[in-house]
Amino acid sequence: MSTAPSTGNTAVDTDRTALLRELRRHLPEQSILQEPEDMRPYECDGLSAYRELPLLVLMPETVAQVQAALRICSQMRVAVIARGAGTGLSGGALPRSDSVLLSLARFNRIVEIDPLNRYARVQPGVRNLAISEASAAYNLYYAPDPSSQIACSIGGNVAENSGGVHCLKYGLTVHNILELTVVTMEGDILTIGGLAPDSPGYDLLALMTGSEGMLGVIVEVCVKLLPKPERAQVMLAAFDSVDKAGAAVAGIIAAGIIPAGLEMMDNPAIRAAEDFVHAGYPVDALAILLCELDGTNEEVSEQILQVRQLLEQFGATEVRTSRDEQERQRFWHGRKAAFPAVGRISPDYYCMDGTIPRRELSHVLTRMTELSEQFNLPIANVFHAGDGNLHPLILYDANRPGELERTEELGGKILELCVQVGGTITGEHGVGVEKIDHMCVQFQAAELSQFHAVKAAFDPLGLLNPGKAVPTLTRCAEFGAMHVHHGQLAFPDIERF
Amino acid sequence: MSTAPSTGNTAVDTDRTALLRELRRHLPEQSILQEPEDMRPYECDGLSAYRELPLLVLMPETVAQVQAALRICSQMRVAVIARGAGTGLSGGALPRSDSVLLSLARFNRIVEIDPLNRYARVQPGVRNLAISEASAAYNLYYAPDPSSQIACSIGGNVAENSGGVHCLKYGLTVHNILELTVVTMEGDILTIGGLAPDSPGYDLLALMTGSEGMLGVIVEVCVKLLPKPERAQVMLAAFDSVDKAGAAVAGIIAAGIIPAGLEMMDNPAIRAAEDFVHAGYPVDALAILLCELDGTNEEVSEQILQVRQLLEQFGATEVRTSRDEQERQRFWHGRKAAFPAVGRISPDYYCMDGTIPRRELSHVLTRMTELSEQFNLPIANVFHAGDGNLHPLILYDANRPGELERTEELGGKILELCVQVGGTITGEHGVGVEKIDHMCVQFQAAELSQFHAVKAAFDPLGLLNPGKAVPTLTRCAEFGAMHVHHGQLAFPDIERF
């Protein structure tokens, strides 16, 4: 490959024409989009409040093309932002006008399904649900199930370490993948992990998972497949207070039961979902729990009895158990449609994602109600209660002057509250651009510096997805002295909740 | 702190007296060992074929002392080797005459047990079993159980990502820890991970786990605790061929059953164990399986029926189920005493540790029998069959000239065989000094280079545990062109098995 003349140290100086000339030597014409109207669909991901047209969009079809594209960009000092299905909610795939957007959409083949050893080898653009669909013939499935599983791609799932309803029992993406093939910014191929249970050397598989496209470009993923449980049933319990529902969650977990899913919705979320999809939810309940149990026939029967007893003990006003697969799907349908349902009752909503230790549920919900009143913005709550992952939805109207800003401020307060009680600013949506400032709340300078050193070990020029996920210390200083760590405020002049 | 005069760039040049003078300003006299007779107990770990006296032994008692010691060594360019209980089997804590040995033995406090949130916060020198003992009052336990669990310390477990009999169901160390406090070689403190289910930023928790003391010194560990299962029973099945036992393992897993432990022993191992501890093993069997099932009463009852049926279907000549806790302990006693039992029948033995995909069990065992005959060295086999982790024990006599060398050569062939079928050179014992050359077989230059870059991101001067775990590319070149990757030999001039 001939070396392209470098036009300077930063992408801003780069000669787009020279870049195009180099790229065309290695990628077919139809893999390069450069007209604004062609690039428009790529100007944002699921965090659509932020938009920017990229310098170019590349849609390679082979690993060799990805390698060539990255080598050229590396040599010409042009930043690269990888993109899967673009369903991410934190702006991890947000383009920049000085950067190439690398879409992996054409990497959409299921390479191999090995039912005996229970894995599937797939390209990163394969949709999450497509893996389970293709494995169904062997009575196997891929466990992590983000709400967007119809649309989101496995490469993006790995980049964000996606979760989902079933992650309480079956783990996050990181617990369900075996091997990655990654192209570095220099264009080298790394094989990371393997089919064996442990791997010598540093655990780069976990490091790469959730790294938000900052360390390398994923070109193949080998995922674990699980046998479909013999039986799955979901219980719906209504409560006349959110606190009681929270206590029931703690009680179920304390009893040593690990449900396949344990979800909670508050009254605004229940009403919105019921209005939208008619799941049969009790609209007067102040909270409902959805508790899925799966396993063998005997296990599920036994656990249903146990869970029913616990739910009643913790004050459930009503407990229903799905009688058939159709009812089970209906119970879940309301939960899965909760976000769009809220979208129907409010001009705009802002979906938050934070985690807290389970024991803090009641305290955090009370404090959120206070904040909601203080900011005069309603909040609907939907959460993976079992693992303490909250999704408060702040309802607002972007057309009212200042309301978006107030919403973002309230969102920030909620994230700080999560960190203050020992939780985190993101459970499964990633940091991206959305929460980059709040990383300054989550981490001390020593940890952030270590993150930057790890980043430099993979991408010394900082060309992969610049400006996302890990803030510079300067940015943190500008963001202000808002440092909460392990529930302790590092700077005592900050308001305590 | 005053800066000690650096005597040069490498530890070899360092003035030991100047180092001592600096250390004494921050560590009490009784925390510094410098006489050969005091340092003798630290000259090796569990890989006792390798020995060397360190420059000094430090036994700090506080995190501040660890920080001071590391800062001084960093400034004076003296390498540091951290050591837990010294039970490691791959020489990960082997001292060097130019390096300080940092013992964490005095970090032996259980700081906190939180039964509600099910975690224990402990210092790194706490013994693995002590955590379960202290948690028993709450009916909780710590799951990973390496054979050395009476003696080994949790800090060492994290450094080696230790496994054990119960890891098939409950995961390796990496799956059972929540948070680490680490001191970097520069003396900074990093808090890694947290109590929440996911953590933003790069996954340094997994990266640190299994990093063999190369990235930082662990000074606190927060481990997950699990509720003790209501019931646990173990089944013992005898087979008249190793192949049939291997097929039964595959059959059990394929049926969707995840036993709490699934172990296999071949005839030499069975005989040695039975002679030693009288576990009641059938000494004429060519293989036995030990299959532990745990859970609720109903689950265990159901699974015992299922597993018995499968074992018989795969040709077990005898199946026994432990009738009480005493018999369960007795069945396990033979397995847990297998290594010392083999030590009784042979002057010396070399314990290997490799992993293979389960489907390759039969092929690998056949090939190992051939290698055993070819090298004229008996092999006893004990393995975590459920997760494909082999522990072949090569029996030899170090007093016979050349026999140790022949043993190490045979060991090397076995590791290469593991890699060739898609496995790894270590399941749970680590790389250390023992297998460093075989890392050249496991990985390509691109992956090894990436490992070195990650190492430099934590320890740019290369002062933490030098010469272990990750070989230099030069060393690999000297080791020879023995490169097997994904079952493919990279260099076709190498003998194929």
Side-chain angles (χ1 to χ4, degrees), chain A residues 111-349:
Chain A
V111 180
E112 178 195 4
I113 293 182
D114 182 332
L116 187 61
N117 292 291
R118 292 205 188 123
Y119 66 78
R121 195 176 286 283
V122 303
Q123 291 189 323
V126 170
R127 290 175 306 108
N128 172 298
L129 193 61
I131 302 175
S132 291
E133 285 167 353
S135 313
Y138 308 101
N139 206 33
L140 298 171
Y141 77 112
Y142 174 67
D145 53 346
S147 303
S148 56
Q149 69 176 144
I150 293 177
C152 65
S153 64
I154 188 71
N157 288 183
V158 174
E160 301 292 334
N161 193 17
S162 302
V165 163
H166 286 90
C167 287
L168 174 60
K169 183 165 180 178
Y170 297 106
L172 299 162
T173 302
V174 69
H175 305 114
N176 288 279
I177 60 170
L178 294 166
E179 193 179 85
L180 295 176
T181 308
V182 170
V183 180
T184 66
M185 189 63 212
E186 281 80 29
D188 294 328
I189 290 182
L190 296 178
T191 306
I192 293 176
L195 304 184
D198 188 20
S199 187
Y202 305 121
D203 189 347
L204 304 188
L205 188 70
L207 185 64
M208 193 62 61
T209 309
S211 65
E212 306 197 18
M214 305 276 290
L215 304 183
V217 174
I218 297 160
V219 291
E220 194 170 278
V221 185
C222 182
V223 304
K224 286 185 203 170
L225 299 176
L226 297 183
K228 281 194 191 170
E230 196 174 298
R231 179 172 155 199
Q233 268 179 289
V234 61
M235 303 176 77
L236 188 163
F239 290 86
D240 60 12
S241 93
V242 167
D243 270 11
K244 286 183 191 167
V249 168
I252 290 167
I253 301 290
I257 298 163
I258 304 178
L262 184 50
E263 301 281 309
M264 187 163 157
M265 293 165 74
D266 71 2
N267 185 266
I270 297 167
R271 284 183 183 270
E274 185 58 23
D275 278 355
F276 185 30
V277 299
H278 313 295
Y281 289 172
V283 292
D284 293 328
L286 291 193
I288 61 168
L289 287 184
L290 291 165
C291 178
E292 178 151 302
L293 300 162
D294 70 7
T296 63
N297 264 319
E298 286 77 1
E299 277 174 89
V300 175
S301 301
E302 190 198 354
Q303 292 194 340
I304 284 177
L305 288 177
Q306 261 185 294
V307 171
R308 173 179 285 276
Q309 206 166 28
L310 285 163
L311 289 168
E312 285 166 357
Q313 185 183 322
F314 283 94
T317 53
E318 183 191 356
V319 180
R320 285 187 245 159
T321 304
S322 66
R323 280 158 303 186
D324 50 31
E325 184 56 21
Q326 202 186 344
E327 193 171 43
R328 176 176 162 264
Q329 292 293 353
R330 195 154 57 87
F331 282 179
W332 276 125
H333 194 36
R335 164 63 186 87
K336 294 206 170 178
F339 292 3
V342 166
R344 290 171 74 240
I345 61 167
S346 173
D348 299 284
Y349 72 90

Side-chain angles (χ1 to χ4, degrees), chain A residues 47 348-352 392-396 407-408 411 434:
Chain A
L47 186 74
D348 299 284
Y349 72 90
Y350 183 35
C351 172
M352 309 292 304
L393 305 172
I394 306 174
L395 314 189
Y396 72 102
T407 298
E408 290 192 332
E434 183 200 15

Side-chain angles (χ1 to χ4, degrees), chain B residues 198-215:
Chain B
D198 188 20
S199 188
Y202 304 121
D203 189 347
L204 304 188
L205 189 70
L207 184 64
M208 192 62 61
T209 309
S211 65
E212 306 199 17
M214 306 276 290
L215 304 183

